[in-house]
Amino acid sequence: MILKQVQGCRKEISGIPIGRMLVVDLTNSEWHSMAIDSETAAGFLGGRGVSAYLLARRCGFENRHAEPALFSPGLLTGAIPFGQTALTTFSGSKSMGVLSLQGLWGGELKMAGFDHIMITGRSDTPVAVKITNGHIAIDDAAEIWDQDCRATGEQIRSLEGDQNLQTMVLAGPGGTGSGSMETLNDLFTVKKLKAISVRGTGGLKIFDIPGYKKAIREALLLFAGKHELNNCVIKPGREQVDITFSAGRQIAGDPPFSGEELQIILDCLGFARAPDIESMISLIYSITGRRYSAEDLAGAVQRIMLAETGGTWE
Amino acid sequence: MGVIDRKRKNLIIMHELCNGCGLCEIICALEHEGYINRACSRIRTTGGLRPFPQICLQCDQPLCLENCPVSAIERSASTGLLTVDDERCISCRCCVITCPFGGTREDCEGRMVRCDLCGGEPECTAYCPTGALSVSTVQDAAGRKRRLFASNADQCGDWD
């Protein structure tokens, strides 16, 4: 069985792609957790990949009108800086697409014991979801419904008395969504979900610490501008690190990846940058203990692309 | 006023160079705890668009030491660094409250932790991608800041 209902969050925190998904049903104010087979999760890498699989196979929800929104930290999220969280949403018969969200929220979610959160249904009143080490609460959010993102986050952390709480604010002030269900703000305004806050005190274990440090050092050369990635040099400094991928450019590797394929890989891995595929593979191995080959990555990309476009795969 | 040790080295943070990547927090937690959890790091970066790493500044006249009710904080005779005796500490958090810089923190397990320079060779300095972290005396650090300011006078951060 690939997906099964389980109790609570992962007891052992690790960075490997064991998929523990929390499903929150806003309609009935209920939640439960489900475990995804680790081989399946590994075959789809993580993050965007696993969420594509879950949505394609309608795992965790059956009702077409459940409007699932999946938050999926990548394989390496939390273990490296700039780790990203993929947000994939499906509304009715239309996929609203994939977003990459930066920040510490994804890593905190993994430390809280979950690798994915699926939000389904709609609440009658404004609510905010809070996850603390496997304890879930759906709180009334009427007080913060009209606040902007920054004020919302600050107030939630102040109310909880925990500045380490990571908050993702989803609906604009006063539910400013247009109702047309064209944007994420629309979706979460309709769901009346203001924010998801996470606090995890578990730790992310690294499989091979010396190897991890070595791989991080190599990646740092990229940050320091000593590598050129697709002819774009990373400029360190107080400014946001600026990197763009040119469509069609390829990273040296066997097999080479197109810009679109590389972006899929990076969305799955939660790691935006690596000087080359070998460095990326070394970093994944050092953290997870799983050694992917370039062919494994290529296979995963193909499965993910099929899942996202409604195709089937072996 | 006590004797000021001008030759003592400390972890120097060039805030102008910090880009808030957080790798120092990851490495610090990994070094001290054996796993990654930024909340357990001895160096913490606050602020969003203007990241500001903070550590124990190893004050010459530490308020935390003066105010500790059980004398759990002491200065090492060999390294000159401030340390916390976990056996003696009662987690009253006086050190956290009295520190004007937020240099002492309570970690995930309720221990009062602070940067101890990893005993003299801070791990974080080897991984900072921008060179914002280094070990030197305060005088050397001040000289470096002066040279940085002189060479980039119009790019030395926003002072508003």
Side-chain angles (χ1 to χ4, degrees), chain B residues 89-113:
Chain B
C89 177
I90 59 173
S91 297
C92 66
R93 299 169 181 84
C94 277
C95 51
V96 176
I97 296 169
T98 56
C99 177
F101 310 108
T104 297
R105 301 182 49 254
E106 179 181 0
D107 71 359
C108 298
E109 299 183 15
R111 299 170 302 180
M112 303 302 125
V113 297

PDB file of all heavy atoms in Angstrom, chain B residues 89-113:
ATOM      1  N   CYS B  89      23.505  25.546  36.507  1.00  0.00           N
ATOM      2  CA  CYS B  89      22.458  26.433  35.990  1.00  0.00           C
ATOM      3  C   CYS B  89      21.074  25.954  36.419  1.00  0.00           C
ATOM      4  O   CYS B  89      20.780  24.750  36.360  1.00  0.00           O
ATOM      5  CB  CYS B  89      22.541  26.492  34.462  1.00  0.00           C
ATOM      6  SG  CYS B  89      21.236  27.485  33.689  1.00  0.00           S
ATOM      7  N   ILE B  90      20.223  26.871  36.851  1.00  0.00           N
ATOM      8  CA  ILE B  90      18.867  26.529  37.277  1.00  0.00           C
ATOM      9  C   ILE B  90      17.825  27.034  36.284  1.00  0.00           C
ATOM     10  O   ILE B  90      16.634  27.032  36.569  1.00  0.00           O
ATOM     11  CB  ILE B  90      18.555  27.092  38.689  1.00  0.00           C
ATOM     12  CG1 ILE B  90      18.703  28.618  38.710  1.00  0.00           C
ATOM     13  CG2 ILE B  90      19.451  26.435  39.731  1.00  0.00           C
ATOM     14  CD1 ILE B  90      18.243  29.261  40.005  1.00  0.00           C
ATOM     15  N   SER B  91      18.284  27.518  35.112  1.00  0.00           N
ATOM     16  CA  SER B  91      17.387  27.982  34.047  1.00  0.00           C
ATOM     17  C   SER B  91      16.455  29.091  34.518  1.00  0.00           C
ATOM     18  O   SER B  91      15.290  29.140  34.142  1.00  0.00           O
ATOM     19  CB  SER B  91      16.550  26.823  33.485  1.00  0.00           C
ATOM     20  OG  SER B  91      17.384  25.856  32.895  1.00  0.00           O
ATOM     21  N   CYS B  92      16.965  29.975  35.355  1.00  0.00           N
ATOM     22  CA  CYS B  92      16.153  31.107  35.809  1.00  0.00           C
ATOM     23  C   CYS B  92      16.005  32.149  34.704  1.00  0.00           C
ATOM     24  O   CYS B  92      15.120  32.987  34.762  1.00  0.00           O
ATOM     25  CB  CYS B  92      16.758  31.740  37.054  1.00  0.00           C
ATOM     26  SG  CYS B  92      18.367  32.540  36.767  1.00  0.00           S
ATOM     27  N   ARG B  93      16.904  32.108  33.714  1.00  0.00           N
ATOM     28  CA  ARG B  93      16.858  33.017  32.560  1.00  0.00           C
ATOM     29  C   ARG B  93      17.237  34.447  32.907  1.00  0.00           C
ATOM     30  O   ARG B  93      16.973  35.364  32.124  1.00  0.00           O
ATOM     31  CB  ARG B  93      15.489  32.977  31.884  1.00  0.00           C
ATOM     32  CG  ARG B  93      15.141  31.600  31.345  1.00  0.00           C
ATOM     33  CD  ARG B  93      13.684  31.485  30.900  1.00  0.00           C
ATOM     34  NE  ARG B  93      13.374  30.156  30.412  1.00  0.00           N
ATOM     35  CZ  ARG B  93      13.045  29.132  31.198  1.00  0.00           C
ATOM     36  NH1 ARG B  93      13.004  29.289  32.507  1.00  0.00           N
ATOM     37  NH2 ARG B  93      12.766  27.953  30.681  1.00  0.00           N
ATOM     38  N   CYS B  94      17.856  34.655  34.050  1.00  0.00           N
ATOM     39  CA  CYS B  94      18.345  36.006  34.370  1.00  0.00           C
ATOM     40  C   CYS B  94      19.349  36.466  33.325  1.00  0.00           C
ATOM     41  O   CYS B  94      19.364  37.645  32.953  1.00  0.00           O
ATOM     42  CB  CYS B  94      18.998  36.010  35.762  1.00  0.00           C
ATOM     43  SG  CYS B  94      17.809  36.192  37.109  1.00  0.00           S
ATOM     44  N   CYS B  95      20.175  35.565  32.866  1.00  0.00           N
ATOM     45  CA  CYS B  95      21.192  35.951  31.870  1.00  0.00           C
ATOM     46  C   CYS B  95      20.522  36.393  30.568  1.00  0.00           C
ATOM     47  O   CYS B  95      20.964  37.352  29.934  1.00  0.00           O
ATOM     48  CB  CYS B  95      22.148  34.784  31.616  1.00  0.00           C
ATOM     49  SG  CYS B  95      21.332  33.223  31.239  1.00  0.00           S
ATOM     50  N   VAL B  96      19.447  35.716  30.204  1.00  0.00           N
ATOM     51  CA  VAL B  96      18.738  36.086  28.978  1.00  0.00           C
ATOM     52  C   VAL B  96      18.126  37.471  29.128  1.00  0.00           C
ATOM     53  O   VAL B  96      18.187  38.304  28.217  1.00  0.00           O
ATOM     54  CB  VAL B  96      17.648  35.043  28.667  1.00  0.00           C
ATOM     55  CG1 VAL B  96      16.839  35.456  27.448  1.00  0.00           C
ATOM     56  CG2 VAL B  96      18.253  33.671  28.451  1.00  0.00           C
ATOM     57  N   ILE B  97      17.556  37.724  30.292  1.00  0.00           N
ATOM     58  CA  ILE B  97      16.863  38.998  30.513  1.00  0.00           C
ATOM     59  C   ILE B  97      17.839  40.153  30.629  1.00  0.00           C
ATOM     60  O   ILE B  97      17.600  41.249  30.121  1.00  0.00           O
ATOM     61  CB  ILE B  97      16.001  38.895  31.788  1.00  0.00           C
ATOM     62  CG1 ILE B  97      14.902  37.854  31.592  1.00  0.00           C
ATOM     63  CG2 ILE B  97      15.386  40.249  32.137  1.00  0.00           C
ATOM     64  CD1 ILE B  97      14.165  37.495  32.855  1.00  0.00           C
ATOM     65  N   THR B  98      18.976  39.918  31.289  1.00  0.00           N
ATOM     66  CA  THR B  98      19.887  41.036  31.551  1.00  0.00           C
ATOM     67  C   THR B  98      20.792  41.351  30.365  1.00  0.00           C
ATOM     68  O   THR B  98      21.308  42.463  30.267  1.00  0.00           O
ATOM     69  CB  THR B  98      20.782  40.750  32.769  1.00  0.00           C
ATOM     70  OG1 THR B  98      21.493  39.525  32.549  1.00  0.00           O
ATOM     71  CG2 THR B  98      19.950  40.654  34.026  1.00  0.00           C
ATOM     72  N   CYS B  99      20.989  40.399  29.469  1.00  0.00           N
ATOM     73  CA  CYS B  99      21.870  40.684  28.333  1.00  0.00           C
ATOM     74  C   CYS B  99      21.222  41.714  27.419  1.00  0.00           C
ATOM     75  O   CYS B  99      20.132  41.485  26.907  1.00  0.00           O
ATOM     76  CB  CYS B  99      22.160  39.417  27.544  1.00  0.00           C
ATOM     77  SG  CYS B  99      23.178  39.726  26.073  1.00  0.00           S
ATOM     78  N   PRO B 100      21.885  42.836  27.183  1.00  0.00           N
ATOM     79  CA  PRO B 100      21.282  43.865  26.328  1.00  0.00           C
ATOM     80  C   PRO B 100      21.353  43.523  24.843  1.00  0.00           C
ATOM     81  O   PRO B 100      20.780  44.229  24.020  1.00  0.00           O
ATOM     82  CB  PRO B 100      22.117  45.122  26.630  1.00  0.00           C
ATOM     83  CG  PRO B 100      23.362  44.630  27.249  1.00  0.00           C
ATOM     84  CD  PRO B 100      23.122  43.273  27.815  1.00  0.00           C
ATOM     85  N   PHE B 101      22.023  42.453  24.491  1.00  0.00           N
ATOM     86  CA  PHE B 101      22.237  42.143  23.085  1.00  0.00           C
ATOM     87  C   PHE B 101      21.547  40.853  22.648  1.00  0.00           C
ATOM     88  O   PHE B 101      21.657  40.474  21.488  1.00  0.00           O
ATOM     89  CB  PHE B 101      23.741  42.026  22.796  1.00  0.00           C
ATOM     90  CG  PHE B 101      24.533  43.174  23.316  1.00  0.00           C
ATOM     91  CD1 PHE B 101      25.361  43.024  24.411  1.00  0.00           C
ATOM     92  CD2 PHE B 101      24.439  44.418  22.711  1.00  0.00           C
ATOM     93  CE1 PHE B 101      26.090  44.088  24.903  1.00  0.00           C
ATOM     94  CE2 PHE B 101      25.164  45.492  23.194  1.00  0.00           C
ATOM     95  CZ  PHE B 101      25.988  45.338  24.295  1.00  0.00           C
ATOM     96  N   GLY B 102      20.852  40.191  23.548  1.00  0.00           N
ATOM     97  CA  GLY B 102      20.251  38.913  23.170  1.00  0.00           C
ATOM     98  C   GLY B 102      21.278  37.844  22.898  1.00  0.00           C
ATOM     99  O   GLY B 102      21.055  36.934  22.111  1.00  0.00           O
ATOM    100  N   GLY B 103      22.455  37.961  23.539  1.00  0.00           N
ATOM    101  CA  GLY B 103      23.539  37.044  23.245  1.00  0.00           C
ATOM    102  C   GLY B 103      23.361  35.664  23.840  1.00  0.00           C
ATOM    103  O   GLY B 103      23.909  34.689  23.337  1.00  0.00           O
ATOM    104  N   THR B 104      22.613  35.588  24.938  1.00  0.00           N
ATOM    105  CA  THR B 104      22.338  34.296  25.562  1.00  0.00           C
ATOM    106  C   THR B 104      20.916  33.893  25.229  1.00  0.00           C
ATOM    107  O   THR B 104      20.022  34.720  25.253  1.00  0.00           O
ATOM    108  CB  THR B 104      22.503  34.376  27.089  1.00  0.00           C
ATOM    109  OG1 THR B 104      23.860  34.703  27.376  1.00  0.00           O
ATOM    110  CG2 THR B 104      22.173  33.054  27.743  1.00  0.00           C
ATOM    111  N   ARG B 105      20.746  32.605  24.906  1.00  0.00           N
ATOM    112  CA  ARG B 105      19.434  32.163  24.477  1.00  0.00           C
ATOM    113  C   ARG B 105      19.063  30.883  25.172  1.00  0.00           C
ATOM    114  O   ARG B 105      19.907  30.154  25.671  1.00  0.00           O
ATOM    115  CB  ARG B 105      19.433  31.919  22.966  1.00  0.00           C
ATOM    116  CG  ARG B 105      19.791  33.124  22.129  1.00  0.00           C
ATOM    117  CD  ARG B 105      19.722  32.800  20.651  1.00  0.00           C
ATOM    118  NE  ARG B 105      18.455  32.136  20.356  1.00  0.00           N
ATOM    119  CZ  ARG B 105      18.337  30.847  20.097  1.00  0.00           C
ATOM    120  NH1 ARG B 105      19.396  30.061  20.102  1.00  0.00           N
ATOM    121  NH2 ARG B 105      17.163  30.328  19.841  1.00  0.00           N
ATOM    122  N   GLU B 106      17.787  30.614  25.176  1.00  0.00           N
ATOM    123  CA  GLU B 106      17.293  29.320  25.666  1.00  0.00           C
ATOM    124  C   GLU B 106      17.079  28.434  24.449  1.00  0.00           C
ATOM    125  O   GLU B 106      16.374  28.810  23.519  1.00  0.00           O
ATOM    126  CB  GLU B 106      15.981  29.507  26.424  1.00  0.00           C
ATOM    127  CG  GLU B 106      15.390  28.212  26.955  1.00  0.00           C
ATOM    128  CD  GLU B 106      14.076  28.430  27.676  1.00  0.00           C
ATOM    129  OE1 GLU B 106      13.630  29.591  27.758  1.00  0.00           O
ATOM    130  OE2 GLU B 106      13.494  27.442  28.155  1.00  0.00           O
ATOM    131  N   ASP B 107      17.704  27.270  24.454  1.00  0.00           N
ATOM    132  CA  ASP B 107      17.553  26.414  23.288  1.00  0.00           C
ATOM    133  C   ASP B 107      16.311  25.528  23.436  1.00  0.00           C
ATOM    134  O   ASP B 107      15.528  25.679  24.371  1.00  0.00           O
ATOM    135  CB  ASP B 107      18.825  25.586  23.048  1.00  0.00           C
ATOM    136  CG  ASP B 107      19.031  24.483  24.080  1.00  0.00           C
ATOM    137  OD1 ASP B 107      18.209  24.355  25.015  1.00  0.00           O
ATOM    138  OD2 ASP B 107      20.020  23.748  23.955  1.00  0.00           O
ATOM    139  N   CYS B 108      16.167  24.595  22.500  1.00  0.00           N
ATOM    140  CA  CYS B 108      14.964  23.762  22.474  1.00  0.00           C
ATOM    141  C   CYS B 108      14.824  22.899  23.713  1.00  0.00           C
ATOM    142  O   CYS B 108      13.733  22.450  24.041  1.00  0.00           O
ATOM    143  CB  CYS B 108      14.985  22.861  21.239  1.00  0.00           C
ATOM    144  SG  CYS B 108      14.982  23.779  19.706  1.00  0.00           S
ATOM    145  N   GLU B 109      15.929  22.632  24.379  1.00  0.00           N
ATOM    146  CA  GLU B 109      15.886  21.754  25.549  1.00  0.00           C
ATOM    147  C   GLU B 109      15.938  22.523  26.855  1.00  0.00           C
ATOM    148  O   GLU B 109      16.165  21.937  27.914  1.00  0.00           O
ATOM    149  CB  GLU B 109      17.050  20.760  25.463  1.00  0.00           C
ATOM    150  CG  GLU B 109      16.965  19.879  24.225  1.00  0.00           C
ATOM    151  CD  GLU B 109      18.070  18.851  24.158  1.00  0.00           C
ATOM    152  OE1 GLU B 109      18.732  18.617  25.178  1.00  0.00           O
ATOM    153  OE2 GLU B 109      18.256  18.279  23.081  1.00  0.00           O
ATOM    154  N   GLY B 110      15.739  23.845  26.783  1.00  0.00           N
ATOM    155  CA  GLY B 110      15.687  24.645  27.995  1.00  0.00           C
ATOM    156  C   GLY B 110      17.026  25.014  28.579  1.00  0.00           C
ATOM    157  O   GLY B 110      17.099  25.518  29.693  1.00  0.00           O
ATOM    158  N   ARG B 111      18.088  24.763  27.840  1.00  0.00           N
ATOM    159  CA  ARG B 111      19.409  25.133  28.338  1.00  0.00           C
ATOM    160  C   ARG B 111      19.737  26.552  27.897  1.00  0.00           C
ATOM    161  O   ARG B 111      19.330  26.991  26.835  1.00  0.00           O
ATOM    162  CB  ARG B 111      20.473  24.175  27.784  1.00  0.00           C
ATOM    163  CG  ARG B 111      20.274  22.723  28.168  1.00  0.00           C
ATOM    164  CD  ARG B 111      21.221  21.847  27.375  1.00  0.00           C
ATOM    165  NE  ARG B 111      21.008  22.020  25.939  1.00  0.00           N
ATOM    166  CZ  ARG B 111      21.670  21.395  24.999  1.00  0.00           C
ATOM    167  NH1 ARG B 111      22.621  20.533  25.333  1.00  0.00           N
ATOM    168  NH2 ARG B 111      21.422  21.614  23.717  1.00  0.00           N
ATOM    169  N   MET B 112      20.495  27.248  28.728  1.00  0.00           N
ATOM    170  CA  MET B 112      20.939  28.593  28.378  1.00  0.00           C
ATOM    171  C   MET B 112      22.242  28.439  27.592  1.00  0.00           C
ATOM    172  O   MET B 112      23.252  27.958  28.136  1.00  0.00           O
ATOM    173  CB  MET B 112      21.181  29.429  29.637  1.00  0.00           C
ATOM    174  CG  MET B 112      19.959  29.528  30.548  1.00  0.00           C
ATOM    175  SD  MET B 112      18.511  30.224  29.718  1.00  0.00           S
ATOM    176  CE  MET B 112      17.319  28.933  30.009  1.00  0.00           C
ATOM    177  N   VAL B 113      22.215  28.824  26.346  1.00  0.00           N
ATOM    178  CA  VAL B 113      23.381  28.613  25.486  1.00  0.00           C
ATOM    179  C   VAL B 113      23.866  29.940  24.924  1.00  0.00           C
ATOM    180  O   VAL B 113      23.119  30.908  24.805  1.00  0.00           O
ATOM    181  CB  VAL B 113      23.060  27.651  24.324  1.00  0.00           C
ATOM    182  CG1 VAL B 113      22.702  26.278  24.858  1.00  0.00           C
ATOM    183  CG2 VAL B 113      21.925  28.189  23.468  1.00  0.00           C
TER     184      VAL B 113
END
